[in-house]
């Protein structure tokens, strides 16, 4: 192993290792990440909202660089609020932001004990649903399209034409599927990572242990490798 890689490995192990659960290991995007949060990235850990939202923050930050699509990410509480209250309950969430000025909108979704991802591509007028357990999310796509129609009407006074949009739940043959009951959060983060670089999704379940360790380093250093 080269020295740099060894240094990174020992840092990752230290983050999992000794210390108090409430130790703060990273702070950005109005979020603090503790050792307890980081420990959800250990093998077979279930990622929590803080880790998911922090990682989405890193993706948005990277998208400000030259050569990347402009990305907007909603936080993990957005969809549950939207589905229970409609546009009315979340219209303040985009105060001072025109989401339609972006290329890609990421919506991480927490379904009680499972993470999934919805992606709006404003360039292509598509809404796609990514689930590493192969469930369909057509109703989720429709809920978000309705939200976009109301958001556009209210914020920009522009009517979206729903018939111009393509809604699609990704099939099990189109995207990789998890091989255990605990990697869904990592899958969502990596789906979002590849999509926010306009890259084809080519990873496999075998990459998950590596992705988990890489994410520890990225969150602690607030930079994507």
């Amino acid at each position: 192993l080269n020295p740099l890689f060894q240094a990174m490995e020992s840092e990752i192990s230290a983050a999992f290792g000794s210390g108090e659960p409430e130790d703060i290991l990273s702070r950005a995007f109005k979020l603090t990440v503790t050792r307890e949060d980081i420990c959800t990235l250990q093998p077979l850990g279930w990622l929590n909202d803080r880790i998911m939202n922090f990682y989405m923050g890193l993706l948005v930050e990277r998208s400000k660089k030259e050569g990347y699509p402009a990305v907007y990410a909603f936080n993990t509480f957005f969809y549950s609020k939207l589905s229970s209250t409609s546009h009315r309950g979340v219209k303040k969430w985009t105060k001072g932001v025109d989401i339609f000025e972006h290329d890609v909108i990421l919506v991480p979704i927490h379904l009680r004990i499972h993470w999934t991802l919805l992606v709006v591509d404003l360039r292509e007028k598509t809404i796609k649903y990514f689930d590493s357990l192969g469930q369909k999310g057509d109703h989720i796509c429709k809920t978000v399209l309705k939200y976009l129609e109301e958001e556009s009407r209210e914020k920009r006074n522009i009517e979206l034409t729903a018939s111009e949009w393509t809604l699609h739940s990704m099939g099990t043959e189109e995207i990789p599927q998890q091989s255990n009951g605990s990697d869904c959060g990592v899958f969502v983060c990596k789906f979002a990572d590849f999509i926010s670089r306009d890259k084809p999704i080519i990873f496999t379940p075998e990459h998950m242990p590596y992705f988990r360790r890489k994410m520890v380093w990225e969150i602690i250093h607030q930079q994507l490798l």
Side-chain angles (χ1 to χ4, degrees), residues 116-135:
T116 65
L117 179 70
L118 182 136
V119 178
V120 179
D121 192 322
L122 290 157
R123 303 164 295 184
E124 309 276 339
K125 293 190 179 170
T126 61
I127 299 177
K128 290 181 180 172
Y129 183 72
F130 295 75
D131 185 338
S132 55
L133 285 178
Q135 309 279 327

Side-chain angles (χ1 to χ4, degrees), residues 22-69:
E22 62 276 10
D23 290 344
I24 291 170
L25 301 188
S26 198
R27 197 184 258 131
F29 321 119
K30 298 183 182 156
L31 293 167
T32 53
V33 173
T34 64
R35 189 180 309 280
E36 188 174 15
D37 299 322
I38 284 286
C39 282
T40 65
L41 283 160
Q42 285 179 307
L44 303 184
W46 290 20
L47 272 54
N48 66 14
D49 290 285
R50 263 192 216 164
I51 293 292
M52 301 296 286
N53 288 324
F54 202 97
Y55 195 79
M56 295 296 146
L58 290 174
L59 296 177
V60 168
E61 207 50 43
R62 179 179 66 189
S63 82
K64 295 171 184 171
K65 293 181 185 167
E66 186 111 19
Y68 288 95

